[in-house]
Amino acid sequence: MSVNESDVVTTAEGAAWEPKIVAFLCNWCSYAGADLAGVSRIKYPANVRIIRVPCSSRVNPQFVFRAFERGADGVLVAGCHPGDCHYVTGNYYTRRRLTLFKRLLEYVGFEPERFIVRWVSASEGQRFAETVKEMVDGLKHLGPQKRVSRV
Amino acid sequence: MPRIGVFVCWCGSNIGGVLDCPAIAQEAASFPGVVYSTEYKYVCSDPGQKLIVDAVKEHRLERVVVASCSPRLHEETFRQVLRRSGLNPYFFEMANLREHCSWVHPDTTVREQAQRKAVDLVRRAVAKAARLEPLFPGKIPVVRRCLVIGGGIAGIQTALDVADAGLEVLLVEREPTIGGNMVKLDKTFPTLDCSACISTPKMVAVAQHPNIRLYTYAQVEEVTGYIGNFKARIRQKARYVDHSKCNGCGTCWTRCPVTVPDDFNLGLGERGAIYIPFPQAVPNKPVIDLEHCRRSTRGKCGACAKLCPTGAIDYEQKDEFVDVEVGAIIVATGYGLFPWEKVYGEYGYGRFRDVITGLMFERMVNASGPTGGKIQRPSSGKEPKTVVFIQCVGSRDEARGKEYCSRFCCMYTAKHAHQILEKIPGSEVYVFYIDVRTFGKGYEEFYRRVRDEGAVYIRGRVSKVYQDGSKLIVRGADTLLGEQVEIAADMVVLATGAVPAAGAADVARMIGIPQDKDGFFQEAHPKLRPVETHTGGVYLAGTCQGPKDIPDTVSQASGAAAKVCGLLLRDELETNPLVSKVNEALCTGCLACQPVCPYRAIQPVTITERLPGQPPRERVVARVNEGLCQGCGACTVACRAGAIDLKGFTNKQLIAEVDALCL
């Protein structure tokens, strides 16, 4: 997939283009980790929009695809570290399902940077902020997602 | 479309100082379904809550959105406001403008982006709110019994407090006696009262309390269930002594021919293969350490069995399992010491016998300890004249130890210094420190007193300890004078930091408590919920949550007990209504959801279907037990037919949220 240079720099209105990331965070670890980033005043780019789910295993790949379809440039799913799931085994399902889903996305032409699954614990505010930074940097390099976007 | 009200909170300057709250409220007014939108300085305050109650009446609101802080903080507060307003409490949604927006995007350079993000977050909340359904918590009975794991001072205190309230307590301790680390101590700072004198009566009180069942030399192996209704399996390890027959006369342990290093005294003394850890142990009855017992190693001996007047020795005893039901669990597994021998080469990796830890010093100076309270060099048995203390061994050392301060070491070192100066005339005491932290009541006064008594405090690290003849040479830096210091010491005492007790990770996994980066158990909120965990019905007491001195441990233990009483003295508990639900019309009965559920909450049931014009037919569908379901939603994704949905996080709601964010 080639990236058009003009897409990377500006939008139609001429403002600098900013990627839009939808993040699904589990309530117990990653959402709390994002809260901790706030409490610790760790700055990160304002490109991420968070949706709270009870467990990362609640994230249906359908939701991820829906986000891409509606014009998200990147999707992040974050949950507790394997072994630390609040619901004992939920994130093991997340890991299996979303590994497969990520492969499917890559197979149909999505760049791997567009869809990230990351384990962020409630004490890892810094890690959450770094994950967002890393994603934003990657997406800025790739430019807008146009593969399935209807927008 | 339900009538939605939006309340944007300034949170003083926390949100209002970064985001333009009136503009957010104004924009929110144009979102689908929103009939009322306003902003206020502190929506969570009393007048702020009144604002919601009044607006619900005046504008006939059916759903409420508050855009303020994290729902992890105030969701419950606002649900109660809705209840007061006459709305179903689950007609509520929050947008997290503080933790997820204003606090992380405070710079003026990204102001516009932050503002856009805030509007998006509110749009998401409104989209979800429009699709919220009324939810009703169920009621479940509560088992009025509490399991306490760990019999140190935290476990003892918490067990006594819960039992005194009239509730049944099961106290499980893995060692042969309760008492934990505190009972090993000699005197406690800053009052210098004897640790055994204040803790052993409490141990006896536990053993004699009619509401406490004590399991020593036992471990909790499995925990299932949920708040109010846990099931636990306790393994009673084989003691090879029948405690129902044993009268604790002591003939066996005084006559055992085997001697092994004594772990209670940290290897400073010896015990037999049949032993009680210390004379005031509770229960005061022995166990056999089969690994060292001569009968099991060499196949012959049996002295204890021959000598026992009650015939209590039973070499064939097996581990037993006890299954119990409890309504709440208090975890009080305590701390262990930082394994300094593995890391600190400059202190000799544990090669020098005269380099000991603070806890070893406690045993040594203890009148009931291996030396009968005489301070002596482990190498020669002679009285040390010059003693060097090294602080922060493992604590406050990011490179090789732990980042945190272990809190009690400064004070126990001051106490040790006092004891040396008091007991050994003409002795010299040097303390190498980074900072001296005396945070508690009477602590600073005690520290000053010890300095006045002659303890020399040197600010700096020790670079090397080495043997020179019978002396240990301690070389370090005095950073205040900018000089090298060398002290010829007779004994070196290390203030080893505290780490979570061995096996803490297993306990965390078994019960489902998150651990922090250092392995201590994570409390639900660092300030406002310090004794609760994020697992309902599980509470924390003492140093398993983080290093603490005795007063703090006891306070937290009583706090946890109060929480348990508050929980168990209710007749019924409300269940969490955010659980999975199967649409039986869509369910094909494949049961792919069943193995996914970690709580075994999904069971097949046979239903009779009556379709018009057809004879009734039976078929199998999945059904969720709402008492067992914890609401993770893993099953919803596993369902091939899309028949399972999670209340409060439905597919419809989540997709609406995605759409709202991607506008």
Side-chain angles (χ1 to χ4, degrees), chain B residues 291-347:
Chain B
E291 204 186 315
H292 295 103
C293 172
R294 188 165 289 175
R295 190 176 175 282
S296 101
T297 53
R298 295 193 204 161
K300 56 183 180 187
C301 177
C304 46
K306 281 173 219 153
L307 290 165
C308 180
T310 59
I313 309 292
D314 174 8
Y315 297 114
E316 303 308 317
Q317 207 177 52
K318 295 268 175 302
D319 288 8
E320 280 171 22
F321 292 94
V322 190
D323 289 315
V324 294
E325 288 183 9
V326 294
I329 300 174
I330 299 176
V331 183
T333 49
Y335 70 95
L337 292 180
F338 181 82
W340 67 277
E341 306 93 331
K342 297 202 179 96
V343 182
Y344 287 99
E346 63 263 47
Y347 309 146

Side-chain angles (χ1 to χ4, degrees), chain A residues 27 35 49 52 58 66, chain B residues 70 72 120 649 651 659:
Chain A
N27 180 47
D35 277 359
R49 308 284 186 267
R52 185 166 68 126
R58 175 67 187 93
R66 177 78 166 209
Chain B
S70 173
R72 290 169 58 87
D120 280 356
F649 294 94
N651 290 330
D659 290 356

Side-chain angles (χ1 to χ4, degrees), chain B residues 187-194 415 418-419 422 446 449:
Chain B
K187 290 196 165 62
T188 54
F189 58 79
T191 44
L192 294 176
D193 42 353
C194 144
K415 187 204 66 176
H418 163 81
Q419 285 176 308
E422 185 190 40
F446 183 80
R449 172 181 155 193

